Amino acid sequence: MENVKTKPLDELEMFELLRATYPEKFTDETEETWEAAHSFAEELSGWDELADLLGRVAMLTMPMKSGLTETISHCIGPVTIQDGNARMTTVVRRDFY
C-alpha cells in the first residue's frame, strides 16, 4: 500500500464526528456537550489516539469529487438520500494525495 499522508482530527472535527455518530448522546453544541464528547473520547482510548485513528480512517474512504470546486477529497459525514442522489454533510475532509 502506498504511504498515505494522514492528519489527526482537530477538536472541532472530532466533536462534529462524535455528534454525527452518536446523535442521541450529543444533542446540541453547548459547552457541557463539548466536555461530554471530550470525556467520551478519552474513555474510548484517549483523545489523541482516537483523533489519530480517525484521521487515518478518513484516508481510507472513497475519494469524492466536489461538484463546485472539482477538488478530490476523502470525506466522512452523515449521508442523506434526496431525489435518488446521495448527499453528505462533511464533518471530516482530507485532500486526496
Side-chain angles (χ1 to χ4, degrees), residues 62-95:
M62 177 66 77
M64 299 188 310
K65 185 176 184 179
S66 168
L68 294 174
T69 65
E70 299 198 7
T71 302
I72 299 175
S73 304
H74 298 275
C75 302
I76 299 176
V79 176
T80 57
I81 305 297
Q82 183 179 40
D83 299 326
N85 296 309
R87 303 201 186 280
M88 176 185 287
T89 303
T90 303
V91 296
V92 177
R93 185 184 73 75
R94 298 290 184 269
D95 290 337

Side-chain angles (χ1 to χ4, degrees), residues 2 6 11 17 20 29 35 38 43-44 58 70 77 88 92:
E2 185 178 321
T6 64
E11 286 189 346
L17 186 57
E29 296 181 8
E35 294 298 325
H38 198 281
E43 290 171 15
L44 287 176
E70 299 198 7
M88 176 185 287
V92 177

Side-chain angles (χ1 to χ4, degrees), residues 16-27 40 44:
E16 291 298 332
L17 186 57
L18 286 173
R19 286 190 63 223
T21 307
Y22 296 96
E24 71 285 355
K25 185 183 260 319
F26 308 113
T27 57
F40 181 74
L44 287 176

